[in-house]
Amino acid sequence: MERRRMDAALLVLLLGHLAAALEVPLDLPQPPTITHQSPKDYIIDPRENIIIHCEAKGKPHPSFSWTRNGTHFNIDEDTNVSMKPHSGTLVVDISGAKAEQYECVYQCTARNKHGTAVSNNIVVRQSRSPLWSKERINPIVVQEGVSLVLPCRPPAGLPPPIIFWMDNNFQRLPQSNRVSQSLNGDLYFSNVLREDSRNDYICYARFPYTQTIQQKQPISLKVLSHDPADERKPTFLVPSGPSSSKTVLRGQVLEMECIAEGLPTPDISWSKVSGELPAKRTYFLHYQRTLRIVNVSESDAGDYRCTARNKLGTVHHNIHVMVKAAPYWISAQPRNLVLAPGENGVLTCRASGTPKPSITWAMNGIPIENSPKDLSRKVEDDTIIFTDVQTGSSAVYQCNVSNPYGYLLSNAFINVLSEPPRVLTPANKVYQVIKNHPALMDCASFGSPIPKITWFKDSRSSTLDGDPYILHDNGTIEIHTAQAHNAGKYTCVARNSLGKEENHILLEVKEPTRILKQPEYKVVQRGRSAVFQCKVKHDPSLVPTMTWLKDDGELPDDERFYVDSDSLTITEVSEIDAGVYTCIMNTTLDHDSASAELTVVEATPTPAVVTEQPDPPTDLELTDQKKRSVQLTWTPGDEHNSPIMKFLIQYEDSLHHRGHWHNLTEVAGTRTTAHLKLSPYAHYTFRVLGLNAVGLSRPSFPSRVYKTEPAAPDENPTGVQGLGTEHDNLVISWKPLTGLQSNGPGLHYRVMWRQKAVNSDWNTASVANTSKFVVSGTPTFVPYELKVQAVNDHGAAPDPAIAHGYSGEDLPVAAPNNVQVMVLNSSLAEVHWDPVPSKFIRGHLKGYKVYYWKERSLHKHNPHHVEKEILTFSGNHSHGKLPGLHPYSLYSFNVRIYNGKGEGPPSPTQEFETPEGVPGAPTSLLVTNTDLDSLTLEWNPPHVRNGRITGYTLKYQPVNNSNELGPVEELALSANETSVTLSNLRHSTRYKFYLNAKTERGAGPTISQETVTIMDEAMPASPFRNVNSSVGDDGALISWEYWGPEKSVYVEYKLQNSEGEEEWQKELVNGSQNVMLKGLKGGLSYRVRLVAKGHHDQPLHQSQELLVKVPAVASRQVDIATQGWFIGLMCAIALLILILLIICFIQRNKGGKYPVKEKEDAHTDPEFQPMKDDDCTFGEYR
């Protein structure tokens, strides 16, 4: 007993050491540690390669082996299996094998010379998604009101499938407290209704691993409603009987269901007989039919009751729940131990379960009872105690905790090392905390024996121990409430028996972020603007970010929402903008937030108002005055019924530009402050103007003068450039600074220059009141580096950037060499030359110019030409083309280079000849000696011959009166001919002639001419034949045949007996053979003729006149007897009379069949009156 008490005391003594255990750095010797492995129950996709993970670390790096179903798995013998390099992970290539072959139990072993670690037993099973068995499902016919179960019975899959019911259109079937799905997938009806009839109740099973969906054959349901169903009290369909039991494992999900039938539909409720339902872990599903409790614990065991009730009664069912537990860790699982020689330690494997699990130990994968004896080691149930360990005792211990519901396997090593301290926290790490918040500074370390950590601050006068410092076992020091004076430099020192090491830590304490002005509750009329202010104070060294939320969500993506640095503006507010708005100011360390509600109300109808520009702002004040900035505040003027959209801030600098106001900045109309950035050495006066929809207000009264102190210039002149105006100078110019940019008095410029590519010092000159400086005596066209620096009485601007320039140019002194010409065709040549070396250019190369001119044509008839042309080729070209040359000509040319100063000397003049081209058109083509069947053509040669004329080509063809062309005749004529006589032509026919000249290069353009041969005397003089007329309702139709050459043909007409010289009316009828004359007056006669006119509208031919008589048009008087409406009216009257006669006849014969005289004798009533006219009979008078 005493020995047991001593061991227990030793155990308590060592617990502190256990809590302080650390990871061993990987550069130190250590046994293997498994870092990653596949899950115990490993379900794989059969379509993909199988990957069984096993990763481990150690020093030296461990080697790996595997067992399969408890025996050694020789990976080399299986060609489908490979192991990843530097890893124990197995990869099974299933392209050459079936996945079923590898459904086994696997265990990985990682070993090095310090020990062996093993993985869990990994059970590999492939997922399965089997097809539904084929079945024939008969239609279901039931009476309305009865209960019904539609079975699903999906195929068993791995893992089990997810069940849902849908129709043919893949729409989920509606469920309710009357119709719902059970946990096993069946569809339950507490009672059926007529609307449940349908033929597409389909159960679907989705298998999650393979992402496949299988469907059952559709079920057809028909509900009959012959007689109304009787109401009945509830009974349970699931579960059966008054009670049942259920077992669930700790930590899993408990699901219980009660499905009842009845009419009306029963309501389901749940309760726990032996206590209360756990509110935070309890959920009711499927319309209260399912009770789900998540993360089950032992306290959830007991009796549960489900109750089904309707108006006819109540029924109960009790479910007894038993909670079992697979093994689980009570405290942390065993942790690695690092001990120095001679130290003591403890490995604890403390777990629980229901039923109580058994615990077994192994060392390096071998049961501990079969391992070598070690006097420093003692096993007591769930604990191994190590006493006075020595080098060489390193090993990996396995703790296995198991019961019928599962097991836990944990590896923990003991590593015996002698190692001086090392601090693992990075050196000079900076910690930032907010004032009045906790500060935690780490000093992670490693050593064996475990180092002791001490902390110092700044001068290291004493260790930090006690209030306000809390030192944790892992070396972290904590300040519970950090203050500004806690900021500074901290030092942590790690010591053990083998040495010490220290590290420095920096702590910064920041001011908290606070919202000084919170947004306020607002009631805004629809269409107006709402502005929420959110002014924040934060530590200046932290970067703030302002975020606005609406109803805890993002602001709408709407341009009406405008976020400023300290406000949110919503314009044209509508009802959808109502809600709670929150401003959140975030920094990297903390945040603050505030909220306000916006209520939108209808705008109150008001009479039309007159809007005006706003009144000027007032009460200008300058605050927060700094060297280069100031804060300007003001009070807005009256808006005059039009909201101010923005404020314009202007300034006057009375020191440099008195009396002139300049725009400085603009701010939103909701702002009344502006932070203004200023320049040194200025006397500022500010004023503010407001702008609304009407216009700008008058300026406010100026603020007081704010003078900024002078300073050295901030910037240097811009636009620095250098170029020469003469061949021996350099002009340096720049854009001078303005008075406001000078920043102080005494502004001048320090001009610096030196030759580029020459190691020389800068030359310097100071100038004032100018923007250029001339350097004389420079070499011609040499590159220079330039700088211009602004300087005033308070210092110089920053070192200026280097600009580049060149001294003055001079004319080039060399001409291009190796000039050659290549004639490409009769009008294009290409000139080539060698570029002029840069040393002879003496300036910026602008390009080359080719001077060329036509000396003369190679044809003896063309005169001499000396008219020079110039083609310019910009840039560093070495060739160029000369277009537009005259064929068959002699040209001269030379080439010159030019720079910014001018042209250089020309190259030696050269000549070239252009080849022949096609000639131009003959100068003229005339028709002479026209006869009945012949004529003569005369022409002059082309003015532009472009070579030697080798002949002419003449083509001609007839043209009929419809301008259609006839067959073409062609003649080849010699070069010396200038006329030709054509015979055998048709008389009275128009001909068209085409003539062109030819050279060796080809034929040139044509010249054309038309003429008509003389008419045959036997033919009538007039070209018009068969002129006829006919008169119809639409007018007089005139038709004819025309055989003349003229194109202008008219029809002319006028009255037969016209008085005086009435002009002929005419219509142009070119290309036509008839015309309809409209608008002729009836009863009159007209003279009509056809006229063909030539040039200048002179009549050449006319036809004989026709006399056209237009008949008179009969007066169109309306004969009412032939009008349809009149005939219809008469028929209606006749029908009405016939009907009246029939009625009278019927009335007349109502008295009987005896004669009138007998009727009179039988009725001797003295008051008898003759029948009235409206009885349709004649009365009898006595």
Side-chain angles (χ1 to χ4, degrees), residues 299-334:
S299 63
D300 296 321
D303 293 325
Y304 292 80
R305 172 176 293 173
C306 66
T307 301
R309 62 167 53 87
N310 64 12
K311 66 180 183 178
L312 299 181
T314 302
V315 63
H316 305 284
H317 183 90
N318 290 339
I319 304 175
H320 180 68
V321 175
M322 294 173 288
V323 179
K324 303 295 182 180
Y328 59 92
W329 300 114
I330 296 177
S331 58
Q333 63 186 47

Side-chain angles (χ1 to χ4, degrees), residues 572-781:
E572 298 179 11
V573 168
S574 64
E575 288 78 1
I576 61 174
D577 300 326
V580 176
Y581 289 84
T582 304
C583 71
I584 304 175
M585 176 60 77
N586 289 291
T587 67
T588 53
L589 296 180
D590 68 340
H591 73 277
D592 197 10
S593 63
S595 301
E597 185 176 359
L598 171 63
T599 301
V600 180
V601 298
E602 283 293 331
T604 304
T606 56
V609 294
V610 177
T611 57
E612 298 179 6
Q613 58 199 45
D615 288 343
T618 58
D619 304 328
L620 271 65
E621 291 188 17
L622 299 177
T623 58
D624 193 18
Q625 301 173 5
K626 297 180 181 178
K627 288 184 177 181
R628 296 203 178 191
S629 67
V630 70
Q631 179 131 326
L632 175 66
T633 62
W634 63 89
T635 301
D638 192 333
E639 295 181 343
H640 291 298
N641 301 312
S642 178
I644 296 177
M645 297 181 292
K646 62 181 178 181
F647 289 101
L648 174 63
I649 300 170
Q650 298 179 331
Y651 74 92
E652 176 199 28
D653 179 10
S654 58
L655 180 62
H656 300 103
H657 215 185
R658 178 182 293 274
H660 291 269
W661 290 90
H662 308 275
N663 293 339
L664 181 59
T665 187
E666 295 177 352
V667 297
T670 57
R671 300 279 298 274
T672 57
T673 63
H675 188 77
L676 308 178
K677 294 182 179 180
L678 309 177
S679 297
Y681 192 54
H683 296 174
Y684 284 100
T685 305
F686 303 100
R687 70 183 187 185
V688 184
L689 298 87
L691 175 68
N692 64 8
V694 180
L696 275 171
S697 70
R698 298 188 310 278
S700 66
F701 286 111
S703 68
R704 61 181 175 85
V705 176
Y706 183 66
K707 299 180 180 180
T708 54
E709 297 295 328
D714 295 323
E715 54 187 308
N716 289 302
T718 58
V720 177
Q721 59 181 358
L723 51 87
T725 57
E726 301 293 338
H727 68 88
D728 59 351
N729 76 359
L730 170 67
V731 179
I732 305 172
S733 61
W734 59 90
K735 182 181 178 181
L737 300 182
T738 63
L740 200 59
Q741 293 173 318
S742 67
N743 285 6
L747 176 66
H748 58 281
Y749 301 101
R750 185 178 297 150
V751 184
M752 294 164 277
W753 69 95
R754 68 180 180 187
Q755 281 193 38
K756 190 177 181 181
V758 176
N759 295 327
S760 60
D761 295 333
W762 288 95
N763 301 292
T764 304
S766 292
V767 296
N769 302 319
T770 185
S771 60
K772 68 177 181 179
F773 178 76
V774 180
V775 181
S776 301
T778 64
T780 300
F781 196 66

Side-chain angles (χ1 to χ4, degrees), residues 387-617:
T387 307
D388 192 20
V389 296
Q390 299 301 319
T391 303
S393 298
S394 298
V396 182
Y397 290 86
Q398 288 82 34
C399 168
N400 191 316
V401 186
S402 63
N403 72 4
Y405 297 102
Y407 74 93
L408 296 173
L409 177 64
S410 177
N411 292 273
F413 66 65
I414 175 172
N415 195 15
V416 181
L417 287 175
S418 293
E419 186 69 21
R422 62 172 73 179
V423 178
L424 305 179
T425 301
N428 299 314
K429 185 174 181 179
V430 178
Y431 288 87
Q432 295 181 332
V433 296
I434 296 297
K435 182 179 178 182
N436 296 323
H437 283 64
L440 293 168
M441 292 174 285
D442 296 328
C443 187
S445 64
F446 179 81
S448 185
I450 293 177
K452 180 182 178 181
I453 305 298
T454 53
W455 284 85
F456 302 91
K457 183 177 186 293
D458 296 334
S459 62
R460 305 180 66 165
S461 58
S462 61
T463 60
L464 302 179
D465 192 10
D467 191 56
Y469 301 103
I470 303 172
L471 186 61
H472 294 274
D473 291 340
N474 63 357
T476 297
I477 192 170
E478 177 182 357
I479 304 173
H480 188 264
T481 306
Q483 300 296 326
H485 64 268
N486 296 130
K489 181 179 181 181
Y490 289 79
T491 303
C492 76
V493 180
R495 289 189 179 89
N496 69 6
S497 58
L498 302 178
K500 73 172 184 176
E501 184 172 305
E502 64 180 37
N503 191 22
H504 300 295
I505 303 292
L506 298 177
L507 176 64
E508 297 178 356
V509 180
K510 306 293 185 180
E511 288 295 323
T513 301
R514 291 289 178 266
I515 294 180
L516 303 179
K517 180 175 177 55
Q518 299 186 358
E520 299 176 349
Y521 171 75
K522 291 191 178 294
V523 179
V524 179
Q525 292 183 352
R526 184 162 57 89
R528 294 296 185 93
S529 296
V531 180
F532 290 105
Q533 298 285 339
C534 187
K535 297 186 181 294
V536 182
K537 178 184 178 183
H538 62 88
D539 192 286
S541 65
L542 299 178
V543 178
T545 303
M546 174 71 79
T547 304
W548 284 87
L549 304 178
K550 179 181 183 291
D551 297 331
D552 294 330
E554 293 184 356
L555 288 179
D557 186 11
D558 191 332
E559 60 183 9
R560 297 183 299 110
F561 288 75
Y562 174 72
V563 177
D564 203 353
S565 59
D566 56 2
S567 65
L568 167 65
T569 302
I570 310 171
T571 60
E572 298 179 11
V573 168
S574 64
E575 288 78 1
I576 61 174
D577 300 326
V580 176
Y581 289 84
T582 304
C583 71
I584 304 175
M585 176 60 77
N586 289 291
T587 67
T588 53
L589 296 180
D590 68 340
H591 73 277
D592 197 10
S593 63
S595 301
E597 185 176 359
L598 171 63
T599 301
V600 180
V601 298
E602 283 293 331
T604 304
T606 56
V609 294
V610 177
T611 57
E612 298 179 6
Q613 58 199 45
D615 288 343

Side-chain angles (χ1 to χ4, degrees), residues 34-44 50-55 64-70 73 88-90 92 102-109 118-126 407 409 411:
I34 291 181
T35 57
H36 178 54
Q37 58 182 311
S38 294
K40 296 177 182 178
D41 191 7
Y42 187 25
I43 300 176
I44 60 169
I50 303 172
I51 300 177
I52 309 175
H53 294 280
C54 181
E55 306 288 342
F64 297 89
S65 63
W66 285 84
T67 63
R68 182 166 69 173
N69 293 335
F73 182 25
T89 298
L90 294 183
V92 182
Y102 297 94
E103 289 186 299
C104 302
V105 180
Y106 296 84
Q107 188 173 38
C108 172
T109 301
V118 297
S119 71
N120 292 322
N121 286 328
I122 302 171
V123 181
V124 175
R125 296 183 295 169
Q126 67 167 332
Y407 74 93
L409 177 64
N411 292 273

